[in-house]
């Protein structure tokens, strides 16, 4: 019976997470568009929004919506797969310590998503940089910061589920996911920007070296949080979506 349950979740977990995140992706696609333009040009959010509205071209907000949604579906499918791997691992070797269990679940989510999506993310960053790229992009240039970002990005819904799974109602789950999602957005923003900076950079650096370079040489430490507001508007809905799916599947 246990094997049948694991097989059931092998198909259901990725499908459920992927479906929910596809809907969320189209919902938050304008936030992604505004974030990219803001980080590239330094133009304020208000100016970007007003310019698009004044031109009566609302479609601009969804310029990359299809590609963005496709990437998020892949990431969501990998998250569902990581949930199945976590179920298998704790059936094989039960983890009784709360912190260790949550950490292991977050690591699995981060490593699976990174392996599945890092190559396409490398190509996406290189395409966005265009003529600004200095050399051939390599996966290893961004692997570590992307892995750290993905582990932290997965933590809100996983931790919220662990904290609220025994409570009644979904309201508390949504509230905890929202608060943890905001925190994760701030924590992951530097890793997200460092990955962009490292991809195809003229001088190869480790992610720690790039961070130190920003602080001591470029003196742009605060700039690594550029686009944080839009990232919060993206991360929180995904965190809530994943959390609700986990809550629902946990009862099935």
């Amino acid at each position: 019976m246990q094997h049948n349950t694991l097989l059931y979740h092998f198909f259901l977990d990725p499908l459920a997470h992927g479906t929910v995140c596809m809907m969320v992706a189209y919902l938050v696609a304008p936030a992604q568009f505004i974030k990219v333009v803001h980080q590239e040009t330094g133009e304020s959010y208000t100016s970007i929004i007003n310019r698009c509205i004044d031109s009566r071209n609302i479609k601009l907000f969804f310029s990359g919506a299809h590609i963005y949604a496709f990437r998020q579906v892949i990431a969501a499918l990998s998250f569902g797969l990581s949930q199945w791997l976590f179920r298998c691992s704790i059936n094989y070797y039960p983890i009784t310590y709360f912190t260790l269990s949550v950490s292991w679940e977050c690591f699995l989510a981060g490593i699976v998503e990174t392996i599945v999506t890092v190559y396409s993310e490398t190509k996406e960053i290189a395409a966005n940089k265009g003529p600004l790229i200095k050399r051939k992009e390599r996966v290893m240039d961004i692997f570590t910061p992307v892995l750290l970002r993905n582990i932290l990005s997965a933590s809100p819904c996983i931790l919220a589920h662990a904290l609220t799974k025994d409570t009644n109602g979904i309201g508390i789950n949504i509230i905890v996911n929202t608060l943890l999602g905001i925190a994760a957005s701030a924590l992951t923003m530097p890793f997200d920007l460092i990955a962009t900076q490292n991809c195809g950079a003229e001088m190869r650096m480790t992610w720690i070296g790039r961070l130190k370079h920003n602080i001591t040489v470029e003196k742009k430490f605060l700039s690594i949080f550029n686009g944080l507001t839009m990232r919060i508007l993206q991360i929180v809905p995904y965190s809530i979506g994943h959390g609700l799916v986990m809550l629902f599947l946990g009862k099935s």
Side-chain angles (χ1 to χ4, degrees), residues 75 78-79 82-83 99-115 117 121 142-159 180-181 183-185 187-189 191-192 207 231 235 239 242:
S78 70
F79 184 87
S82 75
Q83 287 292 292
T99 303
L100 183 60
S101 176
V102 170
S103 299
W104 172 237
E105 191 172 357
C106 290
F107 175 78
L108 278 177
I111 191 66
V112 173
E113 179 179 351
T114 302
I115 291 172
T117 65
E121 183 160 355
I142 71 169
F143 187 88
T144 301
V146 167
L147 173 61
L148 294 173
R149 181 200 67 192
N150 289 344
I151 291 173
L152 289 172
S153 294
S155 63
C157 54
I158 291 173
L159 185 56
L180 292 177
S185 299
L187 290 174
T188 59
M189 196 71 217
F191 297 120
D192 187 72
W207 72 270
R231 183 159 177 78
I235 293 295
S239 179
H242 280 305

Side-chain angles (χ1 to χ4, degrees), residues 60-81:
L60 280 175
F61 289 114
F62 297 89
S63 297
H66 297 319
I67 298 175
Y68 177 70
F70 177 71
R71 280 183 50 76
Q72 294 306 317
V73 168
I74 294 176
L77 291 174
S78 70
F79 184 87
L81 177 59

Side-chain angles (χ1 to χ4, degrees), residues 24-192:
V24 173
Y26 280 107
L27 179 66
V28 302
Q32 171 71 358
F33 167 78
I34 294 169
K35 179 171 75 87
V36 169
V37 175
H38 171 70
Q39 290 180 328
E40 183 67 21
T41 65
E43 190 178 358
S44 69
Y45 298 147
T46 303
S47 177
I48 296 169
I49 294 171
N50 288 338
R51 177 165 51 79
C52 293
I53 293 176
D54 291 342
S55 66
R56 297 182 180 179
N57 191 0
I58 305 301
K59 290 182 179 179
L60 280 175
F61 289 114
F62 297 89
S63 297
H66 297 319
I67 298 175
Y68 177 70
F70 177 71
R71 280 183 50 76
Q72 294 306 317
V73 168
I74 294 176
L77 291 174
S78 70
F79 184 87
L81 177 59
S82 75
Q83 287 292 292
W84 179 79
L85 291 173
F86 177 73
R87 292 172 190 269
C88 289
S89 67
I90 60 175
N91 279 328
Y92 177 75
Y93 187 82
I95 302 175
T96 56
Y97 293 101
F98 176 82
T99 303
L100 183 60
S101 176
V102 170
S103 299
W104 172 237
E105 191 172 357
C106 290
F107 175 78
L108 278 177
I111 191 66
V112 173
E113 179 179 351
T114 302
I115 291 172
V116 170
T117 65
V118 68
Y119 178 77
S120 62
E121 183 160 355
T122 304
K123 294 300 180 182
E124 180 185 336
I125 293 173
N128 285 330
K129 290 181 114 175
L132 297 176
I133 200 163
K134 303 300 182 182
R135 60 177 173 81
K136 179 68 175 177
E137 69 279 0
R138 296 168 64 248
V139 166
M140 294 312 298
D141 289 339
I142 71 169
F143 187 88
T144 301
V146 167
L147 173 61
L148 294 173
R149 181 200 67 192
N150 289 344
I151 291 173
L152 289 172
S153 294
S155 63
C157 54
I158 291 173
L159 185 56
H161 175 70
L163 292 173
T164 65
K165 63 183 178 180
D166 295 325
T167 61
N168 294 322
I170 64 174
I172 186 65
N173 183 274
I174 292 175
I175 292 173
V176 174
N177 264 298
T178 299
L179 295 176
L180 292 177
I182 292 172
S185 299
L187 290 174
T188 59
M189 196 71 217
F191 297 120
D192 187 72

Side-chain angles (χ1 to χ4, degrees), residues 229-240:
T229 303
M230 290 300 119
R231 183 159 177 78
I232 290 174
L233 292 178
Q234 291 173 286
I235 293 295
V236 169
Y238 284 118
S239 179
I240 292 174

